[in-house]
Amino acid sequence: MKLILTAALVAIALPGVAPAQDAKPKKEKKVCRQTNPTGSRFKVSECHTEAEWAEIDAANQSSADANGRGSRRPAGR
């Protein structure tokens, strides 16, 4: 029992051996957009990270393309 307690104290006392807990992960910056939900006159603020907005935009574009409502112009116009 004393051996385990001593080993734990030594591990805490040696900063080079202990895992680095001071390093915090970078927080991604949030970007907010104003959207108009269907059926409402009021704008709603939505906040997501750049990566999340890229996923949302890609999903919306693929949905629009699947429904034939993409940003492409019809042929012959």
Side-chain angles (χ1 to χ4, degrees), residues 5-76:
L5 183 59
T6 305
L9 290 174
V10 169
I12 293 171
L14 297 174
V17 178
Q21 295 178 359
D22 295 335
K24 293 182 181 178
K26 272 189 174 178
K27 273 192 165 181
E28 292 188 43
K29 185 177 177 183
K30 296 274 185 170
V31 177
C32 298
R33 293 184 186 175
Q34 297 288 324
T35 60
N36 281 340
T38 303
S40 176
R41 295 182 188 182
F42 300 104
K43 290 187 177 185
V44 176
S45 180
E46 288 186 52
C47 299
H48 298 283
T49 63
E50 286 288 338
E52 291 171 339
W53 277 121
E55 289 178 21
I56 291 168
D57 291 340
N60 288 342
Q61 185 62 43
S62 66
S63 177
D65 290 342
N67 291 325
R69 298 178 183 183
S71 59
R72 293 176 275 141
R73 290 185 178 182

